[in-house]
Amino acid sequence: MGEELSSVNYSMGNEVNSLKSLKKNNKSSILRLLYDNGAMSRLELAKETGLTTASITVLVKDLMSCGAIIESGSVQRNKSGRREVLLDINYKELRVANITIESDKIYFSICNRYETLIEKTFDSSVIQQADPLNPAEDDILGNHWSTQYKIRCIGIRVIGKVDTEKGILIDSRGLFPPNFPLRKVLSMQYPYPIIITNNVRAQAYSIITSELNDFLYVKHGPKLGGAIVSNGRIVRGSGNEAGEIGQTQVRNIQEKITLGDYVSEKRIRKRYEMETSKDLEAEEIYKLFSTDKVAYSVISDCLKQISDTVANIGFIIDPAKIILSGGMFLHDDIFEKLCALIKDAGYLKPVIRPTNSDKLKFLSSGIVALKFCLFGLIKPDAEDDSFVSKNEDDDEEPSD
């Protein structure tokens, strides 16, 4: 009898947890639809999810109560029908902290999905010189912004190899000690969910939508990195190194060098200085591409190496698009030259740039954190995780 009772209790417990998990998954489905499609009515949400309008009403009420979504107007589908109230994600109130840590610069912002509220840029040497347990020199991660802005989570992207699930920097190329538990350290100071990802993959993930979900992403500046997205997911590979275009070797030259180092902004500056005796910033050299013979020669050589590698990878993985972002790719004349070279290499799929390419350093890690939180993809370290979906074993509902 005791065993039978225990079995019944266990079964009932599983059923309760399953129902809670189902509810969270349904909320996630609503948020995904709104994220991808923009404002939708309750009727449209019911049609897309397969849920009843009554279920949608309950779920929407929960999501509105915690500030995740709002009513954003109304629409009349036909002359005789009643107006339908539209719902959308409450982006203006869903503020996140965005921190991008590259080899030369740190980009900090408070942002939502579309815009930044504040932006700051620091030299990355403040981390190299500071105690890694307190990388907050000059208030990069200081408490001033967390008191002024009601942020929901923190998104951090770092160069090198990152274990996103554990929040560990496996190899940040000297910025932090190897296997540094950055999320654990920061969680002691900041009561928010913290998402830590690889630099380039974060950018790629931040632009994924239902329409843009199969592409090779290539980022320039200060070196060169890449990511592969297939069916809306980052391809990681057996060693978590898939898409590392910058680690490929440059061929047909005397020195042994990776593509990332060969086309790096540091090397472009050095080559230009050697031929002109002028020490210019990389951005200044890019602006001279169409008017300065040396700038054109140096950059064109880099573009030829990039185009051959990109085309070869394109033939192997066959993405729907190739997306170029950052650095020299932000300049129209350089971008158009690279597109022509990729086409000359025989690869004819579309080559595009993100619509907000120039802003991704201030937005992408924040967008990644926002998506992870909205869609319930994380198990938060923070106690205050309003509207964030928790793991299935947690009985407490999200609350504001």
Side-chain angles (χ1 to χ4, degrees), residues 110-399:
I110 301 295
C111 64
N112 55 40
R113 181 183 180 183
Y114 297 109
E115 60 183 354
T116 58
L117 283 73
I118 59 171
E119 296 179 4
K120 293 187 178 182
T121 302
F122 303 88
D123 193 297
S124 62
S125 62
V126 300
I127 283 183
Q128 296 170 330
Q129 297 167 0
D131 180 353
L133 294 178
N134 183 26
E137 204 167 292
D138 290 326
D139 272 335
I140 293 174
L141 287 173
N143 285 317
H144 69 287
W145 50 261
S146 61
T147 56
Q148 293 179 22
Y149 301 92
K150 186 180 178 182
I151 69 164
R152 301 293 188 126
C153 49
I154 300 173
I156 303 174
R157 59 186 180 96
V158 187
I159 59 172
K161 198 170 184 179
V162 178
D163 186 329
T164 299
E165 184 178 349
K166 296 179 180 178
I168 294 175
L169 308 183
I170 298 172
D171 178 9
S172 59
R173 299 172 188 170
L175 289 174
F176 293 86
N179 297 309
F180 184 69
L182 183 59
R183 187 172 68 191
K184 181 179 180 180
V185 170
L186 295 180
S187 294
M188 297 176 184
Q189 307 173 55
Y190 306 104
Y192 312 103
I194 299 172
I195 311 301
I196 302 173
T197 56
N198 165 267
N199 182 11
V200 181
R201 287 180 178 175
Q203 284 200 6
Y205 184 79
S206 72
I207 65 172
I208 294 174
T209 66
S210 58
E211 299 296 325
L212 187 63
N213 58 18
D214 191 291
F215 55 87
L216 170 64
Y217 188 86
V218 183
K219 173 190 173 293
H220 182 255
K223 293 189 177 184
L224 190 76
I228 300 169
V229 174
S230 179
N231 196 28
R233 294 178 177 273
I234 300 290
V235 177
R236 303 189 180 280
S238 62
N240 198 26
E241 296 181 355
E244 288 286 359
I245 186 175
Q247 297 304 311
T248 59
Q249 292 292 315
V250 176
R251 304 298 180 185
N252 303 320
I253 61 173
Q254 292 183 345
E255 61 181 317
K256 184 177 181 181
I257 187 172
T258 65
L259 181 60
D261 286 331
Y262 191 83
V263 305
S264 69
E265 294 183 331
K266 181 179 179 180
R267 194 171 189 275
I268 288 173
R269 292 181 61 189
K270 184 177 180 181
R271 290 178 65 183
Y272 187 83
E273 184 179 8
M274 287 176 63
E275 295 193 40
T276 65
S277 299
K278 297 178 181 178
D279 182 15
L280 300 183
E281 294 294 329
E283 187 64 26
E284 296 177 285
I285 299 173
Y286 301 153
K287 292 178 180 179
L288 296 173
F289 178 69
S290 296
T291 59
D292 183 289
K293 290 183 178 180
V294 176
Y296 182 85
S297 175
V298 170
I299 294 172
S300 292
D301 177 51
C302 293
L303 296 180
K304 184 64 170 67
Q305 294 291 346
I306 294 171
S307 65
D308 288 346
T309 303
V310 167
N312 287 335
I313 294 175
F315 284 122
I316 293 170
I317 67 173
D318 192 28
K321 291 181 175 68
I322 291 174
I323 299 179
L324 306 175
S325 177
M328 67 172 83
F329 304 152
L330 294 175
H331 296 261
D332 292 343
D333 50 357
I334 297 176
F335 173 75
E336 290 168 7
K337 174 70 172 179
L338 180 54
C339 290
L341 288 171
I342 293 173
K343 188 175 181 179
D344 288 345
Y347 192 78
L348 305 179
K349 292 286 184 69
V351 180
I352 64 172
R353 289 180 293 189
T355 54
N356 60 345
S357 183
D358 60 328
K359 278 288 187 181
L360 282 177
K361 59 180 174 285
F362 287 111
L363 288 173
S364 58
S365 53
I367 292 173
V368 169
L370 181 61
K371 290 174 74 172
F372 269 49
C373 291
L374 283 172
F375 305 156
L377 300 178
I378 59 169
K379 178 181 178 181
D381 292 317
E383 294 178 3
D384 180 15
D385 57 337
S386 48
F387 82 81
V388 177
S389 298
K390 299 184 180 181
N391 59 45
E392 293 184 10
D393 295 329
D394 196 333
D395 289 336
E396 184 182 350
E397 285 293 326
S399 59

Side-chain angles (χ1 to χ4, degrees), residues 10-40:
Y10 179 76
S11 176
M12 289 177 64
N14 279 346
E15 184 176 349
V16 170
N17 286 333
S18 295
L19 288 173
K20 289 182 179 294
S21 176
L22 179 61
K23 187 175 183 181
K24 291 172 184 177
N25 289 338
N26 287 337
K27 288 181 181 179
S28 177
S29 296
I30 291 172
L31 291 168
R32 283 180 183 273
L33 284 168
L34 294 175
Y35 190 94
D36 285 342
N37 302 307
M40 299 175 68

Side-chain angles (χ1 to χ4, degrees), residues 56-87:
I56 289 293
T57 298
V58 172
L59 294 169
V60 164
K61 183 179 179 181
D62 287 350
L63 289 169
M64 290 183 68
S65 68
C66 65
I69 65 176
I70 56 172
E71 293 183 343
S72 61
S74 62
V75 63
Q76 189 167 357
R77 304 296 180 188
N78 53 66
K79 292 182 178 180
S80 59
R82 57 182 297 183
R83 298 187 68 84
E84 297 177 24
V85 176
L86 296 177
L87 304 163

